[in-house]
Amino acid sequence: MKGEGQYFTTIAHAQAWSLIANFEAQQLFFSKASMSLGRAIRIAQMIGLDRVDGQSVNLFPLFSPPRDWAEAEEMRRTWWVVYCSDRLICGSTGWPALINEQDIDTHLPASETSFEAGLEEHTGPLSSILHLEGQNLSAFAARVLAASLFNQAFQHSTQAASDKDAQDIQTSLYWKRHREIDNDLAVFLHCLPDDVRLPSSIRCQNATFVNIILHTSVIFLHRAALLTMQKLGISGDMVRQSRARLIAAAEEILNILKMMPDVNDMLKNPMLAFSIYMASLVFLDRPTSTQADYQQQNNLDFTLRLMILAAKTWGNPVTRSMAIQLAVDMRQRGLESVTVEKVGH
């Protein structure tokens, strides 16, 4: 090994391993992708990409300070790419996060226009959504915040609330955290940057991704809340509110997919296929009625057709497995259709 590691720990190495991880994830090699991402994260930490704007002394300097704002911004953007990957992988697989947000001292990425032109643009650190309201966030920064909220919602949805604690909806730590995340999601969806606001940016893949991930986060949060309330025998307004939030989020995901001009290409992203499946679970979980719910049937048929399309177009076995499971669930609920019959053929 030459020197102190400066020949194999460069920003280019962090970027390369991040790209490799992204490719492996698209090929559904999730274990390999996680290992490659781990390399990218560790290299990024070793060269200080997680503290570009910090004042702390680096005990193991393997990378010289940036020469100008453009170089510093490249470091920031590289860091936030690996951060987003870490949060999305953790939020969809349940694996522990590799990055501790408390250790990050790197400001959010600037706009694409400023970065490409080399024009300095001041940004702030990653913090509470409520503290960021009113700031001029870039589209990339919006993706970072969406990934952070996605992981927060997932982590909260997997935490079991103690019966004694969760009974008191007003003072329970579990429900306080639930409301914090729910409020952050609602506020952020309301104040999204223009570059990622729909429907005006429907042709932008980043915009559709950010919006779908945020609505998927709402589904995580409120499905877990309903299960907890059902377990504890809680009823009333909170149950109705959670159901309403769930249905609205699932329908928003479907509306976005229906508006997208390149939905088939976007389904190459495993995260979007996962989001479609989460939306389908909401429609499956709707309270049963004595009368036929044609809207529920149409929504489920639409999501099933999309998953079948993605599975066939991209040879995606994970999406195919989700499509088969959805078809089985629909049959069990008596929701037969031509689309259901196609699954397995």
Side-chain angles (χ1 to χ4, degrees):
M1 184 175 71
K2 293 183 179 180
E4 297 178 350
Q6 65 269 35
Y7 295 100
F8 70 91
T9 50
T10 67
I11 191 170
H13 286 86
Q15 292 168 344
W17 280 112
S18 179
L19 289 170
I20 291 170
N22 182 66
F23 173 79
E24 289 169 337
Q26 289 196 353
Q27 302 305 310
L28 309 179
F29 304 145
F30 296 121
S31 296
K32 287 185 176 181
S34 184
M35 296 296 289
S36 297
L37 178 62
R39 289 193 178 200
I41 291 172
R42 179 55 76 196
I43 292 173
Q45 291 169 332
M46 290 170 69
I47 60 179
L49 301 191
D50 57 336
R51 47 188 181 277
V52 174
D53 300 291
Q55 302 299 321
S56 59
V57 177
N58 185 358
L59 298 179
F60 302 100
L62 295 178
F63 202 65
S64 57
R67 291 169 295 184
D68 52 27
W69 177 84
E71 191 170 291
E73 181 62 15
E74 182 184 4
M75 295 169 70
R76 294 187 191 100
R77 297 170 83 83
T78 302
W79 170 254
W80 290 117
V81 165
V82 297
Y83 170 87
C84 286
S85 298
D86 181 54
R87 288 306 188 255
L88 293 173
I89 284 180
C90 295
S92 55
T93 63
W95 296 336
L98 300 178
I99 296 173
N100 182 359
E101 284 189 7
Q102 304 303 317
D103 296 333
I104 300 176
D105 207 350
T106 294
H107 288 179
L108 290 169
S111 65
E112 297 291 331
T113 303
S114 295
F115 178 56
E116 291 174 0
L119 299 174
E120 185 169 354
E121 179 181 308
H122 294 288
T123 58
L126 178 66
S127 60
S128 168
I129 301 298
L130 298 177
H131 296 157
L132 291 168
E133 190 175 7
Q135 289 191 26
N136 187 24
L137 295 174
S138 68
F140 191 174
R143 191 182 185 98
V144 171
L145 292 167
S148 175
L149 285 169
F150 177 81
N151 184 63
Q152 290 178 49
F154 175 81
Q155 294 299 330
H156 185 71
S157 71
T158 58
Q159 291 178 0
S162 65
D163 293 355
K164 184 177 180 181
D165 174 63
Q167 282 287 356
D168 192 333
I169 294 177
Q170 297 302 320
T171 62
S172 162
L173 294 177
Y174 177 85
W175 292 115
K176 281 184 178 179
R177 182 59 180 152
H178 168 88
R179 287 190 290 270
E180 285 175 2
I181 299 173
D182 196 33
N183 288 338
D184 280 352
L185 285 165
V187 168
F188 192 43
L189 279 165
H190 178 70
C191 64
L192 281 172
D194 291 340
D195 289 346
V196 292
R197 190 178 293 276
L198 300 181
S200 57
S201 301
I202 191 62
R203 293 185 177 277
C204 172
Q205 290 192 356
N206 182 58
T208 54
F209 181 83
V210 166
N211 280 269
I212 288 175
I213 286 299
L214 288 172
H215 290 301
T216 305
S217 304
V218 173
I219 292 174
F220 275 154
L221 195 65
H222 286 279
R223 284 192 83 229
L226 281 175
L227 288 172
T228 302
M229 286 185 278
Q230 184 180 19
K231 174 187 173 184
L232 300 176
I234 298 173
S235 59
D237 291 342
M238 196 164 176
V239 172
R240 287 189 289 272
Q241 289 171 5
S242 278
R243 282 182 179 154
R245 291 276 281 146
L246 271 175
I247 296 297
E251 289 181 344
E252 277 299 313
I253 290 175
L254 263 61
N255 289 336
I256 293 169
L257 294 168
K258 290 174 181 177
M259 289 190 294
M260 288 169 59
D262 54 351
V263 64
N264 191 31
D265 187 54
M266 282 289 286
L267 288 176
K268 183 166 54 175
N269 186 334
M271 285 302 306
L272 292 188
F274 175 72
S275 294
I276 294 172
Y277 181 69
M278 291 302 299
S280 70
L281 293 181
V282 173
F283 299 123
L284 280 173
D285 292 342
R286 292 185 71 170
T288 56
S289 172
T290 54
Q291 297 182 345
D293 189 338
Y294 296 108
Q295 187 60 49
Q296 179 192 29
Q297 178 83 51
N298 290 338
N299 288 338
L300 287 168
D301 278 347
F302 178 71
T303 57
L304 186 56
R305 285 199 304 272
L306 282 180
M307 285 193 282
I308 293 171
L309 177 64
K312 289 183 176 179
T313 304
W314 304 110
N316 189 326
V318 176
T319 306
R320 176 176 170 76
S321 175
M322 289 190 290
I324 292 172
Q325 184 59 53
L326 177 57
V328 169
D329 291 338
M330 289 174 68
R331 286 195 188 100
Q332 289 176 346
R333 288 165 172 77
L335 300 171
E336 297 288 348
S337 72
V338 175
T339 310
V340 171
E341 296 304 320
K342 287 182 179 179
V343 177
H345 295 292

